[in-house]
Amino acid sequence: MKKIYYSLACCLIGGMLASCGGGAKKSNATEEAAAPTTTAVSYSKSLKAPETDSLNLPIDADGYITIFDGKSLDGWRGYGKDKVPSRWIIEDGCLKFCGTGTGEGQTGEGGDLIFAHKFKNFELELEWKISKGGNSGIFYLAQEVTSKDKDGNEVLEPIYISAPEFQVLDNANHPDAKLGKDNNRQAASLYDMIPAVPQNAKPFGEWNKAKIMVYKGTVVHGQNDENVLEYHLWTKQWTEMLQASKFSEEKWPLAFELLNNCGGENHEGFIGVQDHGDDVWYRNIRVKVLD
């Protein structure tokens, strides 16, 4: 896990800068306004690059770091890329993917988006809304994986073969909601493995709250202020779930290998959001480090 350094900003008192360690007490006549507290977070600028760059991000009193504030995409880039693909934009304070209508057939100006810092033990909170018939997803513990094709050329593998996925879906209008098993492809489910219970997603066009906790292998998905599933990485049960899914050793050996050791040697990875070809919006994205 990369170290996250906490730095305390200064306070503004009576129009003059002073140290936050001192200063006048609040009174009815004079208010003390604190500038936002920030933390330095390391990130990588491109595929397989080390996290040698850093940026200061807001951190609140509860320890939540804002990684998307509705104004800037600093620290974000395309999966396997060195910049933000042009179909990911900021619209009315939201992170929006402008749909292509091509499903998983990602175009050159699209592709999945990651916050390019690897988190290990954390709580992720955000809000999402989906277009009618839309599909997307939230990834965590993701790796940027490449392999060789038959000609020996290096190719980028899809993000979802290394990362668990919190499903984002219009349950009422997307056919994937009726596929899989026991509704395990509906909103907030661990995609194709564990259904979200209760299924409390709001209709397309309405905001939903998502919460994902990862702590020493225990993972909890929350949706709209209710915990909807829990599972445990790196266990016999986790391996059995993978074997019963589309990521089984027989069906997809590389995906099985990566997901069975989710997070790699250090059990850490990127947070990402999916280009599945449909309009989708995210906002208020924040992370609390639990290390």
Side-chain angles (χ1 to χ4, degrees):
M1 179 66 193
K2 313 301 181 295
K3 290 184 179 179
I4 297 182
Y5 299 95
Y6 295 85
S7 59
L8 199 60
C10 293
C11 296
L12 182 63
I13 306 173
M16 298 181 66
L17 287 172
S19 168
C20 285
K25 294 181 180 180
K26 292 182 181 180
S27 68
N28 291 334
T30 304
E31 290 293 324
E32 186 179 291
T37 301
T38 62
T39 182
V41 178
S42 60
Y43 69 100
S44 63
K45 283 191 171 181
S46 60
L47 174 66
K48 297 185 179 180
E51 294 183 14
T52 54
D53 291 87
S54 67
L55 64 157
N56 290 323
L57 295 175
I59 181 169
D60 68 16
D62 294 321
Y64 281 94
I65 303 164
T66 299
I67 62 173
F68 174 68
D69 63 359
K71 301 175 183 177
S72 168
L73 283 171
D74 289 347
W76 293 82
R77 60 178 173 82
Y79 172 75
K81 299 180 180 180
D82 61 1
K83 61 183 179 181
V84 174
S86 61
R87 283 191 172 273
W88 289 99
I89 65 170
I90 297 174
E91 179 183 88
D92 297 328
C94 303
L95 172 60
K96 179 186 179 182
F97 180 76
C98 303
T100 60
T102 58
E104 292 184 84
Q106 297 178 349
T107 61
E109 69 274 16
D112 303 320
L113 192 69
I114 61 171
F115 184 76
H117 173 86
K118 288 188 174 182
F119 292 97
K120 186 173 185 177
N121 297 312
F122 60 90
E123 287 181 356
L124 168 66
E125 292 187 351
L126 69 159
E127 294 174 88
W128 62 269
K129 69 176 179 179
I130 194 72
S131 53
K132 184 175 182 179
N135 188 335
S136 184
I138 304 162
F139 299 107
Y140 48 97
L141 298 176
Q143 312 299 309
E144 288 182 298
V145 179
T146 59
S147 62
K148 301 288 187 180
D149 64 15
K150 60 182 178 61
D151 298 318
N153 300 311
E154 190 171 54
V155 294
L156 184 69
E157 296 286 348
I159 191 172
Y160 51 77
I161 73 166
S162 70
E165 179 183 349
F166 179 114
Q167 174 77 312
V168 169
L169 197 76
D170 172 9
N171 291 334
N173 296 290
H174 196 288
D176 213 21
K178 297 179 176 61
L179 301 177
K181 182 180 180 181
D182 299 328
N183 300 324
N184 66 4
R185 295 188 181 184
Q186 294 188 4
S189 296
L190 174 63
Y191 179 75
D192 205 52
M193 284 188 271
I194 306 176
V197 179
Q199 180 47 252
N200 61 354
K202 296 179 182 179
F204 73 89
E206 295 186 24
W207 287 105
N208 292 271
K209 295 180 183 178
K211 186 169 185 175
I212 299 168
M213 185 201 75
V214 179
Y215 187 71
K216 297 182 179 179
T218 294
V219 182
V220 178
H221 286 189
Q223 181 164 256
N224 295 325
D225 300 317
E226 292 188 82
N227 290 340
V228 294
L229 65 85
E230 178 179 334
Y231 68 98
H232 304 274
L233 294 168
W234 321 309
T235 61
K236 179 182 177 182
Q237 291 76 19
W238 173 241
T239 301
E240 290 172 349
M241 281 196 295
L242 288 172
Q243 293 287 34
S245 75
K246 66 186 286 184
F247 308 111
S248 71
E249 191 170 18
E250 179 181 359
K251 295 175 183 175
W252 205 336
L254 181 57
F256 175 80
E257 177 186 350
L258 293 167
L259 287 166
N260 201 35
N261 187 34
C262 196
E265 181 180 354
N266 296 320
H267 292 164
E268 62 182 12
F270 300 117
I271 289 165
V273 285
Q274 186 182 38
D275 162 10
H276 204 285
D278 302 313
D279 284 3
V280 63
W281 296 259
Y282 295 96
R283 70 182 183 187
N284 299 329
I285 308 175
R286 63 183 198 155
V287 180
K288 182 177 183 178
V289 175
L290 302 179
D291 291 336

